[in-house]
Amino acid sequence: VTLGDWSTTPVLHYGSNLDPYRLKERCPDWDELGLVVELKGWSWAIDKKAYDSPIQGYAGIRHCPGSSIWGVVTHLSDDGIAELDEREGVRYGHYTKEMVAVSSACGVIFDALVYVTAPRHRRSGLVVSGSYRRHILTGLDHWELPAAWRSTVVASLSTTT
């Protein structure tokens, strides 16, 4: 879903891809710019079961009226999207992709692509690995996400393996 004249797609990141170093490694042609946005009507949790562990998990989102999450939108090329599709297990049904309406701090609303946990891969009570936790914390430190949101995410990362 390419928008505008830039041949790029706006993508909302809310988990480990908030880490600019991880995202640049995965998408080398990313311009390293991003915009902090809010996605209303969705909730965030460590609820995506890891591929190789029954107890470890990754960040995921789901529809939840009255809730909202915060993240960062970047513009990625088709090659960048293809790489994220591979990393996020889209082909195997781990995440699906949806277009959602996000809003910037100044109230501009626009569409962005987001990776959503597939229902069959959701689990409660999962914990994150230390390295996954570090990626999210690096991203939270890099982008100017609201303090209350940062506290919510950090609290959900308190149990690690």
Side-chain angles (χ1 to χ4, degrees):
V1 179
T2 303
L3 301 177
D5 297 327
W6 300 318
S7 297
T8 61
T9 301
V11 179
L12 171 61
H13 307 285
Y14 57 83
S16 67
N17 288 324
L18 285 172
D19 178 344
Y21 306 106
R22 171 171 259 206
L23 188 59
K24 188 66 172 177
E25 178 183 297
R26 291 178 169 186
C27 305
D29 61 353
W30 170 50
D31 64 8
E32 300 184 40
L33 299 175
L35 177 67
V36 172
V37 298
E38 182 178 19
L39 174 59
K40 294 178 181 176
W42 293 75
S43 65
W44 186 99
I46 299 298
D47 68 353
K48 163 55 184 76
K49 185 187 165 308
Y51 311 108
D52 55 357
S53 169
I55 63 167
Q56 286 186 357
Y58 303 113
I61 63 172
R62 68 170 74 185
H63 291 280
C64 185
S67 294
S68 67
I69 71 160
W70 289 85
V72 172
V73 168
T74 64
H75 280 266
L76 300 180
S77 67
D78 289 345
D79 288 343
I81 299 291
E83 180 62 25
L84 286 187
D85 285 356
E86 186 66 26
R87 299 289 183 129
E88 303 301 338
V90 170
R91 169 174 34 165
Y92 303 106
H94 289 271
Y95 286 91
T96 60
K97 298 186 299 187
E98 290 188 33
M99 290 302 287
V100 295
V102 297
S103 57
S104 69
C106 61
V108 174
I109 298 172
F110 61 96
D111 290 336
L113 180 75
V114 69
Y115 291 83
V116 178
T117 309
R120 69 185 179 112
H121 290 285
R122 282 192 192 120
R123 304 284 185 283
S124 59
L126 298 172
V127 297
V128 296
S129 69
S131 63
Y132 190 77
R133 182 179 193 273
R134 282 189 295 279
H135 284 302
I136 292 177
L137 293 176
T138 298
L140 291 175
D141 287 343
H142 182 80
W143 304 104
E144 293 184 27
L145 295 160
W149 177 250
R150 179 184 164 81
S151 295
T152 297
V153 172
V154 169
S156 71
L157 301 175
S158 62
T159 306
T160 59
T161 60

